[in-house]
Amino acid sequence: MIGSETAVAFDALREADLHIDRLYLGGAKGTAGDDALARLLPVGNQGGFRLKGSVVKKDVRLVALFTTGAEPDWPDQLDLETGIFTYYGDNRKPGSGLHQTTRSGNLLLRDVFEATHGLPEERAVVPPFLCFEKAAPGRSVRFRGLLAPGTETMTSDEDLSAIWRHTKGARFQNYRAFFTVLDVGIVERTWLTSVLRGEPTTGPGCPAPWREWVDGRVYRPLVAPSTLTIRTKDDQLPDDPAGWEMLRMIRAHFEGRETDFEECAVAIWRMMAPATGKCTVTPPSRDGGRDAVGAYLLGPGADRVAVEFALEAKCYKETNSIGVKEMSRLISRIRHRQFGVFVTLSYFAKQVYEEVREDGHPIAMICGRDVVEALRQKGYSDRERLRKWLDEGFPRTLHIDSVVGLGHSVGVGYSILDGSRSVEPGSRV
């Protein structure tokens, strides 16, 4: 049976097939031996990279990628609609080189992604990657899919990239890797057993999408388009203290000058939609019901099509939802062939969410949790980095004689005549 309708007991793990989204229960002794993943596969019970074989000897046969989803600095993410899994390497603190990690996880990523873009015989020695995430109770895990390194649309410069981070002034690099969850509902134990014995990964029991990837680098992703999405209040707000603190810092930064949050909202939208072109933040007295207007660019670089949008921003506390009045104001200002973007630090009321989705209004609704996740993906996950981003991009005090200089440094242009501000693509904000 495919799915997570039933959980697999700890005593049955050694012989179990891997079903997508199914829960595999940990033991009950209260020791490290309770780890479900280590009982499912001979890969150990610690770390994010759990291997069978040696990276140095280049004989890795199978890799289990384990994610807790609880590291805000390294936000592993599974996009269920596209089947793309973003995973960060294991050089997560300063002090070591990019490939000099204890478990050699980054070295493995380097070798595997190089082989991914090579010949079929090179992909034939790439070990299968299996994605698991931490689950309750105890040391249980949930299986999230069979992964193939890379994606259909990304180049070798994009699917594995070394990104810079810093902690207390110390800079270091880590990998950000993109995998594709293959369209495989069940990974059979017979295939896992043969792979662990060192037999070819395209041998007995091999899932067809894996063979297609090895033979021709064909990606057949497991895509799961969402049904009508009506997120609850809890779904729209952070589920961890660090996320709440990030929203509190943003609100505090704009306290007493909430209209300045509009520029910040544009910057957040651009993080989520990097193809956004020029945006103009409208002056409060002339906004026409729109805090900003801009264009989203489609098509090839030599012949872009600009789709216009209107943006509304609210620097609300978590206790203040976006209601019918605020949303109606934006909807009424959207013209033919335009779409809307609504950015808030709080959440959208249930009635608003239902009416927008059921009536088919083209509105992107960005709530507090979305803001937090976007900032984390860009590396603004701790107080120091977020504070610097806010202070440099959206200073509290703006003097007339510094307008031109500020516009040059952060990509914001100011019109003395009407007070409008344009935020150009590629700016620091």
Side-chain angles (χ1 to χ4, degrees), residues 4-313:
S4 57
E5 293 86 353
T6 60
V8 180
F10 184 70
D11 292 340
L13 296 185
R14 294 194 192 281
E15 306 299 325
D17 296 330
L18 301 180
H19 292 246
I20 201 76
D21 290 344
R22 181 161 292 181
L23 179 66
Y24 294 84
L25 297 174
K29 294 183 179 179
T31 67
D34 292 339
D35 189 79
L37 184 48
R39 194 172 182 88
L40 265 173
L41 302 166
V43 293
N45 60 13
Q46 292 183 343
F49 287 89
R50 304 193 187 185
L51 321 174
K52 176 59 178 178
S54 168
V55 177
V56 176
K57 295 179 180 179
K58 297 185 181 297
D59 65 358
V60 177
R61 299 176 181 177
L62 185 140
V63 182
L65 291 184
F66 177 72
T67 179
T68 65
E71 294 193 55
D73 285 349
W74 308 104
D76 301 332
Q77 185 179 50
L78 173 59
D79 187 328
L80 297 176
E81 293 204 25
T82 64
I84 303 303
F85 179 58
T86 308
Y87 193 77
Y88 290 85
D90 58 354
N91 192 40
R92 303 190 171 193
K93 295 179 181 179
S96 300
L98 178 61
H99 301 123
Q100 299 169 340
T101 58
T102 303
R103 296 181 178 274
S104 300
N106 278 1
L107 186 60
L108 175 68
L109 289 177
R110 184 199 68 183
D111 294 346
V112 162
F113 276 81
E114 181 179 349
T116 293
H117 293 277
L119 300 172
E121 51 265 34
E122 295 176 89
R123 285 189 295 275
V125 297
V126 171
F129 283 74
L130 302 168
C131 179
F132 295 88
E133 68 179 12
K134 179 179 174 60
R139 301 192 66 160
S140 302
V141 297
R142 190 177 300 279
F143 177 59
R144 300 299 265 164
L146 171 63
L147 307 175
T151 75
E152 183 179 19
T153 59
M154 290 184 176
T155 68
S156 58
D157 293 333
E158 298 169 323
D159 56 17
L160 181 69
S161 57
I163 58 175
W164 285 98
R165 290 287 188 265
H166 73 273
T167 299
K168 297 180 179 179
R171 290 172 291 183
F172 62 102
Q173 282 184 300
N174 193 19
Y175 275 134
R176 178 172 57 205
F178 293 92
F179 292 83
T180 298
V181 182
L182 297 180
D183 188 9
V184 179
I186 302 175
V187 177
E188 297 181 357
R189 177 60 61 170
T190 55
W191 183 55
L192 297 175
T193 301
S194 68
V195 168
L196 290 169
R197 283 199 302 258
E199 298 177 14
T201 63
T202 53
C206 171
W210 178 265
R211 181 178 290 106
E212 293 168 4
W213 177 80
V214 171
D215 291 343
R217 196 170 172 268
V218 174
Y219 290 94
R220 198 200 307 174
L222 177 61
V223 295
S226 65
T227 56
L228 185 64
T229 302
I230 307 295
R231 291 190 285 182
T232 66
K233 176 181 177 180
D234 289 342
D235 291 335
Q236 297 181 63
L237 294 172
D239 60 356
D240 64 291
W244 283 107
E245 175 63 12
M246 291 171 68
L247 294 184
R248 188 202 65 77
M249 287 180 63
I250 298 172
R251 282 194 295 268
H253 184 80
F254 293 101
E255 186 175 4
R257 57 186 190 103
E258 282 73 14
T259 56
D260 289 352
F261 174 68
E262 295 162 8
E263 288 176 15
C264 182
V266 171
I268 290 167
W269 166 246
R270 198 182 294 283
M271 290 179 185
M272 300 178 181
T276 299
K278 181 178 179 180
C279 290
T280 300
V281 178
T282 56
S285 60
R286 301 185 185 180
D287 66 6
R290 301 169 296 176
D291 291 333
V293 292
Y296 187 79
L297 305 178
L298 302 172
D303 188 17
R304 293 286 182 89
V305 174
V307 181
E308 295 181 348
F309 66 87
L311 183 146
E312 185 81 3

